Amino acid sequence: MRDDTDQAVAHAESVKDAFNSPFHPFVLASTSIGQEGLDFHTWCHAVMHWNLPSNPVDLEQREGRVHRYKGHAVRKNIAEYYGLSALHSLAESADPWAQLFALAASQRKAGQSDLIPYWIFEEGTSRVERRVPILPYSKESIKFKRLKRELALYRIVFGQPRQEDLLFGLKHSGDESLTDMAQCLIFLEPPKCDAP
């Protein structure tokens, strides 16, 4: 594919394949075109926002490139929490990640979401990281505060707030109260299945 100046343009699939390896590149610079349809979660858990989108949904989309099923931060936490000792009975040809995730799923507490451990596993030091280089007192700093608050409210509605954003949103809330927000909740969790 070529752009309007007849220069070769990398296909999204080849960029994704090049990025999703334990080797270079460790940083990928992208415009807003990279906020949808690309999965960079295999070897990455940080997103650098060079500019801020206009709404919380786009911010969520950008961070969704690395916050995925069995993402890098989740796998790092599972490896940190269980360690090599959890693999002592692993057959040589078996998948170590399958065993670690099965162990983590078997130890999920009653009533916890089925998102644990596949999407969320916070028993470790790794988190999906948001990095926003903004100057103090700039328009971007005001916009970022607004976006964080709106993102927290957006996530509350869908029942998956990030704790830092939730606390920030509640701290800077205007007229909303916890009871008002509870009436807006939409639960997308699959129903619990009792084993026969």
Side-chain angles (χ1 to χ4, degrees):
M1 177 192 307
R2 297 190 169 273
D3 65 13
D4 57 353
T5 62
D6 204 33
Q7 297 292 315
V9 177
H11 291 277
E13 200 62 33
S14 61
V15 169
K16 183 183 79 166
D17 291 344
F19 188 82
N20 283 332
S21 78
F23 310 107
H24 293 286
F26 295 119
V27 175
L28 174 70
S30 176
T31 62
S32 59
I33 200 165
Q35 75 187 32
E36 291 187 30
L38 297 173
D39 300 331
F40 296 124
H41 68 287
T42 311
W43 296 101
C44 180
H45 62 274
V47 175
M48 175 74 78
H49 296 278
W50 290 111
N51 64 355
L52 291 172
S54 59
N55 63 72
V57 177
D58 286 348
L59 189 68
E60 182 86 339
Q61 281 292 319
R62 289 181 185 186
E63 294 175 0
R65 302 309 94 221
V66 300
H67 190 197
R68 296 290 232 214
Y69 177 78
K70 294 185 179 181
H72 191 237
V74 169
R75 291 192 329 273
K76 285 180 73 170
N77 283 342
I78 285 177
E80 179 183 334
Y81 186 76
Y82 292 105
L84 288 174
S85 61
L87 301 173
H88 70 276
S89 64
L90 184 69
E92 191 174 313
S93 61
D95 179 0
W97 288 114
Q99 181 161 332
L100 287 172
F101 274 100
L103 177 61
S106 72
Q107 294 182 358
R108 182 174 46 231
K109 294 180 179 88
Q112 279 189 318
S113 168
D114 289 343
L115 295 174
I116 298 170
Y118 305 100
W119 286 80
I120 302 166
F121 192 83
E122 296 185 338
E123 304 296 327
T125 56
S126 293
R127 301 286 183 265
V128 172
E129 298 173 21
R130 173 191 301 141
R131 298 183 185 170
V132 183
I134 53 177
L135 294 171
Y137 309 111
S138 67
K139 287 182 181 180
E140 289 278 297
S141 67
I142 296 166
K143 183 178 181 180
F144 185 49
K145 286 179 184 176
R146 178 187 56 80
L147 267 175
K148 281 175 54 174
R149 182 174 177 277
E150 290 173 357
L151 183 60
L153 294 175
Y154 169 77
R155 286 181 171 158
I156 287 170
V157 169
F158 287 99
Q160 291 300 319
R162 181 185 287 175
Q163 287 182 346
E164 305 88 53
D165 293 338
L166 174 61
L167 292 174
F168 182 86
L170 293 175
K171 182 178 175 184
H172 295 90
S173 65
D175 299 329
E176 295 89 352
S177 70
L178 290 176
T179 54
D180 292 334
M181 287 188 269
Q183 294 173 0
C184 299
L185 292 179
I186 299 170
F187 292 100
L188 300 176
E189 275 187 20
K192 299 278 187 245
C193 297
D194 294 328

